[in-house]
Amino acid sequence: MLISTQIRLQTGPTFVGDGDSDKYLMERLQARPSQQLGNEFVASCMEYITPLSPRLVLDLLEKEGWKVVQTSTLVKIAAGTFLVGSTGLYLAQKSVQRRVRNLPHYSEGLRIVGEHNQAREALGPPIQVGSVDLADRRHNYVGKTTSKLRIPVTGTVACGFMDVMAVRDDETSPFVTAKIRLVLDEDAVSIYDTGKWKEVDPAHV
């Protein structure tokens, strides 16, 4: 069992399990299932997130009889298979990136920005698009009825991010872009807004 947080010294939430984890243990850790970006393509990649801090999680696990092993020990154990494992991880990342780019609101967001004169002038054409950070679960996720993508964009004048927010009626319906926000330096400007987007906690989507 591997426990991780999103940023160093974070008080919570804490990632404590996946789709194969013991549901009763997850309940005792106050963890709830969460579907993050890419998980709709791989059913077994569901994650469990608890609002508890890592220290509280470790205390609870110790009471359950679990033993804490340092990450360095795990690295030594896995050293023999690291090369194969890292290659598989790279291929998986590339596959998810392709699927992300096939999402309807990804391409729709790029089209809207490309047709927005002020956005083009602020960035400076030609505009290049980078890969989304799959580890950034706050800004990149796909839920049942909401999705958010933070797409890196770089132009000849400035660089930053394009936040694309989308909604859908249910899991069988395609996502429709609801809001686009251009983030340059410390400024964030909304360049497209249908009024249908409501800010949500990614852990609860």
Side-chain angles (χ1 to χ4, degrees):
M1 180 176 185
L2 181 63
I3 301 171
S4 65
T5 58
Q6 290 181 331
I7 60 175
R8 189 175 297 176
L9 299 180
Q10 187 174 349
T11 58
T14 305
F15 295 87
V16 294
D18 55 25
D20 296 323
S21 298
D22 187 327
K23 293 183 179 180
Y24 296 104
L25 176 59
M26 295 298 102
E27 290 179 1
R28 290 194 289 275
L29 295 177
Q30 303 177 30
R32 300 177 58 179
S34 175
Q35 188 179 45
Q36 304 294 344
L37 183 63
N39 290 2
E40 77 281 14
F41 308 117
V42 185
S44 62
C45 288
M46 180 180 66
E47 295 174 317
Y48 278 91
I49 303 177
T50 175
L52 301 177
S53 67
R55 181 177 295 277
L56 289 177
V57 170
L58 292 175
D59 288 343
L60 288 173
L61 288 174
E62 186 176 7
K63 293 178 181 179
E64 294 286 338
W66 290 75
K67 181 180 179 181
V68 178
V69 179
Q70 293 183 354
T71 305
S72 58
T73 303
L74 296 177
V75 172
K76 292 178 181 178
I77 295 174
T81 59
F82 177 75
L83 180 60
V84 175
S86 61
T87 303
L89 177 61
Y90 172 77
L91 294 176
Q93 291 276 3
K94 294 289 288 185
S95 175
V96 173
Q97 289 288 350
R98 285 195 299 269
R99 292 176 182 269
V100 168
R101 297 191 179 202
N102 287 331
L103 291 171
H105 51 300
Y106 181 96
S107 55
E108 186 179 21
L110 294 180
R111 179 185 61 78
I112 292 173
V113 170
E115 296 174 353
H116 195 283
N117 293 331
Q118 287 82 359
R120 288 204 317 271
E121 291 176 1
L123 289 167
I127 301 172
Q128 296 182 339
V129 179
S131 300
V132 300
D133 182 2
L134 300 177
D136 183 0
R137 295 176 174 84
R138 177 185 176 189
H139 295 104
N140 294 294
Y141 63 86
V142 173
K144 293 181 179 179
T145 58
T146 60
S147 177
K148 187 174 184 180
L149 301 175
R150 168 159 282 193
I151 306 171
V153 288
T154 302
T156 56
V157 176
C159 61
F161 299 95
M162 179 178 69
D163 289 340
V164 180
M165 289 75 92
V167 297
R168 61 181 176 182
D169 294 331
D170 52 57
E171 294 183 73
T172 62
S173 304
F175 279 107
V176 177
T177 303
K179 184 176 182 179
I180 297 178
R181 184 169 53 221
L182 190 62
V183 182
L184 300 177
D185 295 326
E186 297 181 355
D187 297 324
V189 180
S190 178
I191 61 175
Y192 180 83
D193 194 347
T194 64
K196 295 183 178 180
W197 175 259
K198 305 297 181 183
E199 292 295 337
V200 295
D201 184 348
H204 297 154
V205 297

